[in-house]
Amino acid sequence: MALAEERIYTIDDIYELPEGQRAELIDGKMFMMAPPSRMHQQIISELNYRITDYIKKKQGGCEVYPAPFAVFLNADHRNYVEPDISVICDKDKLDEKGCNGAPDWVIEIVSPSSRQMDYYRKLYKYQNAGVREYWIIDKEKNRIVVHQFEKEAGEEYTFEDVIPVGIYEDFRIDFKEIDI
């Protein structure tokens, strides 16, 4: 008896989803996304504000995009993600559809349905696609894991820590000030 072939999904399948339904593609496999919690959105809002404020004050050239924002990681039709926060410094990667290639800094806020994806699948994909820095924020475990792929370094912090941002020399985020 022949095994059923697993379907390979593409970006076209993402665009054909019903209005309001979100999914991501990793190597042609589709992963449906659950709606985020209020706390999840609070963390995104706080971080988006702090990062954008820092870049504006420094008159920097990077742009910050909170989810939903399309990231076409490998410039192919089989990998599509919507990081919770994407920071892109190379504006040539940006077009009207989103980011073509790896953002410089990606932040994912873990939810119960995304734990495996954020800690394993996306970690591997982001590292191999050329993301410079990847933060995994896990409120339930009081943990922020920071991967600085260029330095091949990983650090673990709590919500009581001040965390240095690796892609900027003088930027730190004090998680005690994050109102959640």
Side-chain angles (χ1 to χ4, degrees):
M1 183 160 138
L3 293 175
E5 258 186 58
E6 187 174 317
R7 180 173 175 193
I8 302 297
Y9 292 93
T10 68
I11 300 297
D12 293 335
D13 296 304
I14 293 290
Y15 288 132
E16 290 173 6
L17 290 172
E19 184 74 29
Q21 192 170 14
R22 293 174 50 214
E24 295 179 307
L25 288 175
I26 304 286
D27 297 324
K29 187 170 182 177
M30 188 179 298
F31 297 90
M32 304 311 289
M33 298 171 70
S37 69
R38 186 179 65 82
M39 183 195 59
H40 185 276
Q41 293 304 94
Q42 280 181 298
I43 295 171
I44 289 175
S45 294
E46 287 276 343
L47 291 174
N48 184 61
Y49 169 78
R50 292 168 195 276
I51 297 165
T52 300
D53 187 56
Y54 171 83
I55 291 170
K56 284 183 179 180
K57 284 180 179 172
K58 293 291 184 172
Q59 298 175 339
C62 300
E63 295 189 20
V64 184
Y65 294 94
F69 179 73
V71 173
F72 306 93
L73 268 180
N74 301 106
D76 64 21
H77 292 294
R78 299 181 323 120
N79 289 282
Y80 166 93
V81 292
E82 293 183 1
D84 289 316
I85 296 178
S86 301
V87 178
I88 298 114
C89 300
D90 180 356
K91 291 185 182 174
D92 289 338
K93 291 181 179 180
L94 298 171
D95 65 20
E96 288 306 308
K97 289 187 176 183
C99 177
N100 296 289
D104 293 88
W105 180 17
V106 169
I107 299 173
E108 295 284 7
I109 292 106
V110 174
S111 56
S113 64
S114 74
R115 185 171 304 284
Q116 192 94 15
M117 179 74 91
D118 295 336
Y119 278 104
Y120 301 104
R121 280 196 168 104
K122 286 186 176 179
L123 172 65
Y124 173 78
K125 289 307 286 187
Y126 291 151
Q127 183 175 20
N128 288 317
V131 169
R132 294 168 54 201
E133 186 163 353
Y134 175 40
W135 289 23
I136 304 168
I137 299 174
D138 193 335
K139 180 66 175 151
E140 185 177 301
K141 294 191 178 209
N142 187 34
R143 175 170 55 199
I144 299 109
V145 181
V146 175
H147 295 278
Q148 292 185 28
F149 295 130
E150 292 177 323
K151 297 178 183 176
E152 296 182 12
E155 295 282 333
E156 194 169 303
Y157 300 92
T158 72
F159 278 78
E160 299 298 312
D161 293 323
V162 177
I163 303 176
V165 177
I167 67 168
Y168 298 108
E169 286 185 23
D170 61 345
F171 184 28
R172 289 166 177 34
I173 296 177
D174 186 345
F175 270 79
K176 287 182 289 201
E177 294 176 356
I178 303 289
D179 188 26
I180 49 171

